[in-house]
């Protein structure tokens, strides 16, 4: 793996003479028009590179949580006139009641930084995208709101404009640009927050505390150790060439020099227990507790590939961890009196995630259930969550028009040369707006590396040595875990072939495979490695 990491750092800078023909063709580009469709734009919010952000819309118009004393009125300017004629006969309030409205909301995260970001070469907006659940289970975008800070100061609120779908003429070209601005926001959020912060960064304190406080013979060390493989190495490399000041991320993602500051600020809202997939889905309104439903949850949107596949993986991990921990910890008292375990948990909370040490939501680590829940979350984040937001980068974003990372100019206004260009040469206007050629080459070089499995990868349900424990009961439980993951992979293949599930393949004819447990090496768009190792 070390050789692979060194090759990564070398290849990232070997750009001289490399053109688009040097890259494997991304799956999202194989149909030249499919990526442009509203259906594919909406589908990728559920089954694309960043399927972890969509929320159920629970109030109309959407409201901001930014402090109005600082930022003025940041609530949405969307009105029922914008969307009510596109709700299949429903009123807005009936659509809310029936849980048919959803939102991809980048407004509050971006607005506090927008004035500063737009002083760089980036020219972008804070965005809100509202979507409607159709009778066939797919989503359609209803509007995209693009907002800027008020020119007279933050306390005067936002200046917003709402764009609605159009297919032809200059209105169709403007709608394509509105989707591009929303995609730019989602690309930046994905790379900095869904990917770097919520997997690479937050798992690192667990790696350190485990190595410092749990002996190699401790059962929890043996449980977690495969899920920490190469994480410290890859994070160290990232700090050297990717997320460093003036590094690749600052050069290729829209927040530019404010990228890491944004990530640090958003960490203030991080809650460990909400990293559990069921808790995350409930928190976003995408699921409700239901003791009669599989995994104890009823999905608000049945055909949500990330959630459907993810819950099967989550349940398998949880069962494995429960079988394992219950063998070594027969009572809650055994957890409380395990001095190594308690030292591990104390260091993790008070030192590793020290900024969060006084938060009330940390498990107390007094019961076997708390231990099981904690280890399940750690394994989920290090394996399946990271796989879901990492290995689709090249298949989805290797074709930059589908997932631009930077916007270089604002929406053209009527009466300007840019608007005339949009009317008569919309393709050229689009390309002048999104990521520039050199940044595109650099960005694609990066995500081609990040999306690649090494030849010695160890996947979920596998160990690099069969002698990791001599205890027969845990070994049998681990074998059961492996068999369950194989069954899940078969289930995913069947669902991807079932035409009833229209969000699983979509117009680009690219099935959702990111949560397949296994893969071969290379650019496969599938496979769940045990750890954050790339």
């Amino acid at each position: 793996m070390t050789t692979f990491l060194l090759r990564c750092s070398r290849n990232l800078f070997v750009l001289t003479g490399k053109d688009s023909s040097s890259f494997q063709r991304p799956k999202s580009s194989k149909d030249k028009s499919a990526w442009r469709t509203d259906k594919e734009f909406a589908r990728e919010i559920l089954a694309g590179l960043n399927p972890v952000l969509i929320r159920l819309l629970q109030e109309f118009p959407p409201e901001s949580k930014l402090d109005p004393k600082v930022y003025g009125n940041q609530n949405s300017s969307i009105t029922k006139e914008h969307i009510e004629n596109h709700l299949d006969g429903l009123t807005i309030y009936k659509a809310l009641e029936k849980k048919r409205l959803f939102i991809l909301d980048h407004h509050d995260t971006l607005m506090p930084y927008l004035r500063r970001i737009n002083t760089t070469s980036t020219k972008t907006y804070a965005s809100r995208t509202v979507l409607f659940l159709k009778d066939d289970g797919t989503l359609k975008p209803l509007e995209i709101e693009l907002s800027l800070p008020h020119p007279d100061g933050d306390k005067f609120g936002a200046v917003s404009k709402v764009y609605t779908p159009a297919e032809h003429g200059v209105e169709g070209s403007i709608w394509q640009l509105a989707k591009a601005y929303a995609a730019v926001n989602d690309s930046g959020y994905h790379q900095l927050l869904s990917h770097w912060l919520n997997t690479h960064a937050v798992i690192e304190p667990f790696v350190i505390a485990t190595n410092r406080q749990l002996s190699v013979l401790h059962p929890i060390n043996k449980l977690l150790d495969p899920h920490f493989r190469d994480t410290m190495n890859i994070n160290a490399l990232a700090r050297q060439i990717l997320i460093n000041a003036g590094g690749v991320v600052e050069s290729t993602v829209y927040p530019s020099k404010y990228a890491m500051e944004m990530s640090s600020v958003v960490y203030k809202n991080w809650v460990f227990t909400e990293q559990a997939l069921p808790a995350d889905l409930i928190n976003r309104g995408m699921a409700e507790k239901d003791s009669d439903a599989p995994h104890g949850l009823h999905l608000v949107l049945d055909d949500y590939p990330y959630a459907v596949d993810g819950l099967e993986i989550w349940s398998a991990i949880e069962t494995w961890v429960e079988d394992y921990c219950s063998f070594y910890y027969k009572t809650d008292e055994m957890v409380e009196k395990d001095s190594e375990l308690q030292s591990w948990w104390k260091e993790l909370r008070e030192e590793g995630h020290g900024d969060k040490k006084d938060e009330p939501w940390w498990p107390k680590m007094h019961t076997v259930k708390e231990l099981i829940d904690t280890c399940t979350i750690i394994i989920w984040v290090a394996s399946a969550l990271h796989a879901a937001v990492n290995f689709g980068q090249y298949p989805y974003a290797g074709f930059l028009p589908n997932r631009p990372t930077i916007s270089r100019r604002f929406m053209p206004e009527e009466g300007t040369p840019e608007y005339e260009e949009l009317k008569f040469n919309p393709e050229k206007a689009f390309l002048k707006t999104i990521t520039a050629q050199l940044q595109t080459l650099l960005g694609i070089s990066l995500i081609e590396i990040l999306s690649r499995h090494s030849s010695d990868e160890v996947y979920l349900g596998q160990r690099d040595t069969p002698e990791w424990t001599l205890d027969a009961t845990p070994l049998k439980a681990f074998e059961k875990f492996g068999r369950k993951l194989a069954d899940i992979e078969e289930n995913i293949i069947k669902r991807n072939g079932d035409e009833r599930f229209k969000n699983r393949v979509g117009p680009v004819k690219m099935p959702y495979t990111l949560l397949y447990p296994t893969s071969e090496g290379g650019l496969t768009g599938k496979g769940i490695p045990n750890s954050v190792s790339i």
Side-chain angles (χ1 to χ4, degrees), residues 185-233:
N185 284 354
D186 201 54
S187 294
Y189 191 102
H190 161 262
Q191 197 63 274
L192 299 174
L193 306 175
S194 301
H195 183 205
W196 166 254
L197 173 64
N198 288 338
T199 62
H200 283 259
V202 300
I203 209 69
E204 191 172 292
F206 292 91
V207 182
I208 295 170
T210 300
N211 280 283
R212 281 173 46 82
Q213 298 297 340
L214 298 179
S215 73
V216 293
L217 298 178
H218 193 282
I220 300 304
N221 188 317
K222 288 187 176 185
L223 173 67
L224 296 179
D225 181 66
H227 305 288
F228 300 151
R229 179 179 186 254
D230 278 323
T231 299
M232 298 302 291
N233 288 339

Side-chain angles (χ1 to χ4, degrees), residues 260-300:
M260 285 298 102
E261 182 184 341
M262 275 183 64
S263 182
S264 298
V265 168
V266 172
Y267 171 68
K268 294 177 181 178
N269 298 321
W270 182 81
V271 177
F272 173 71
T273 51
E274 290 179 1
Q275 307 313 301
L277 179 59
D280 169 57
L281 293 170
I282 291 169
N283 186 48
R284 291 189 282 123
M286 301 301 290
E288 300 165 336
K289 289 184 179 180
D290 182 349
S291 58
D292 296 327
H295 320 296
L297 288 183
H298 166 70
L299 289 176
V300 171

Side-chain angles (χ1 to χ4, degrees), residues 13-242:
F13 292 101
V14 182
L15 295 174
T16 305
K18 192 167 187 177
D19 58 30
S20 59
S21 64
S22 305
F23 297 102
Q24 178 179 317
R25 186 169 184 175
K27 293 179 182 178
S28 57
S29 71
K30 291 185 177 179
D31 185 315
K32 292 183 179 179
S33 61
W35 67 273
R36 293 178 178 270
T37 64
D38 289 357
K39 184 179 289 188
E40 182 61 25
F41 173 78
R43 186 192 78 91
E44 290 187 20
I45 296 172
L46 298 172
L49 188 51
N50 193 31
V52 297
L53 197 58
I54 184 173
R55 290 180 164 273
L56 180 71
L57 185 60
Q58 296 179 316
E59 77 283 320
F60 189 88
E63 296 179 357
S64 171
K65 292 184 173 64
L66 293 175
D67 185 351
K69 294 178 182 177
V70 178
Y71 296 104
N73 180 11
Q74 294 288 337
N75 292 336
S76 177
S77 64
I78 303 167
T79 66
K80 67 179 184 179
E81 285 76 21
H82 286 122
I83 65 174
E84 200 156 57
N85 291 333
H86 305 282
L87 301 179
D88 293 356
L90 299 177
T91 67
I92 284 176
Y93 299 104
K94 183 59 73 171
L96 287 170
E97 180 186 324
K98 288 180 170 289
K99 297 179 168 54
R100 301 280 293 271
L101 291 174
F102 297 84
I103 187 167
L104 185 68
D105 193 343
H106 294 292
H107 183 95
D108 284 5
T109 302
L110 190 52
M111 183 56 75
Y113 287 90
L114 204 51
R115 198 181 299 277
R116 285 181 284 167
I117 288 171
N118 284 340
T119 64
T120 70
S121 58
T122 294
K123 299 293 179 279
T124 195
Y125 302 86
S127 64
R128 292 183 176 104
T129 304
V130 175
L131 306 109
F132 177 69
L133 177 61
K134 297 165 61 180
D135 290 337
D136 66 358
T138 63
L139 294 175
K140 68 175 181 180
L142 297 173
E143 65 75 38
I144 295 172
E145 180 185 46
L146 301 180
S147 302
L148 289 170
H150 197 285
D152 294 334
D154 290 347
K155 66 180 180 179
F156 293 99
V159 177
S160 302
K161 189 168 182 178
V162 176
Y163 298 88
T164 54
E167 293 184 9
H168 306 294
V170 70
E171 292 82 7
S173 299
I174 286 172
W175 175 243
Q176 288 295 331
L177 281 177
K179 289 192 292 183
Y181 289 115
V184 165
N185 284 354
D186 201 54
S187 294
Y189 191 102
H190 161 262
Q191 197 63 274
L192 299 174
L193 306 175
S194 301
H195 183 205
W196 166 254
L197 173 64
N198 288 338
T199 62
H200 283 259
V202 300
I203 209 69
E204 191 172 292
F206 292 91
V207 182
I208 295 170
T210 300
N211 280 283
R212 281 173 46 82
Q213 298 297 340
L214 298 179
S215 73
V216 293
L217 298 178
H218 193 282
I220 300 304
N221 188 317
K222 288 187 176 185
L223 173 67
L224 296 179
D225 181 66
H227 305 288
F228 300 151
R229 179 179 186 254
D230 278 323
T231 299
M232 298 302 291
N233 288 339
I234 199 66
N235 283 4
L237 181 62
R239 289 186 175 98
Q240 289 175 8
I241 64 172
L242 300 183

Side-chain angles (χ1 to χ4, degrees), residues 63 72 113 134 153 219 228 265 279 303 349 364 376 394 416 427 454 470 530:
E63 296 179 357
Y113 287 90
K134 297 165 61 180
F228 300 151
V265 168
D303 187 12
R349 288 182 294 113
K364 305 299 183 187
T376 302
Y394 192 76
T416 63
E427 297 286 344
S454 65
L470 298 179
N530 269 326

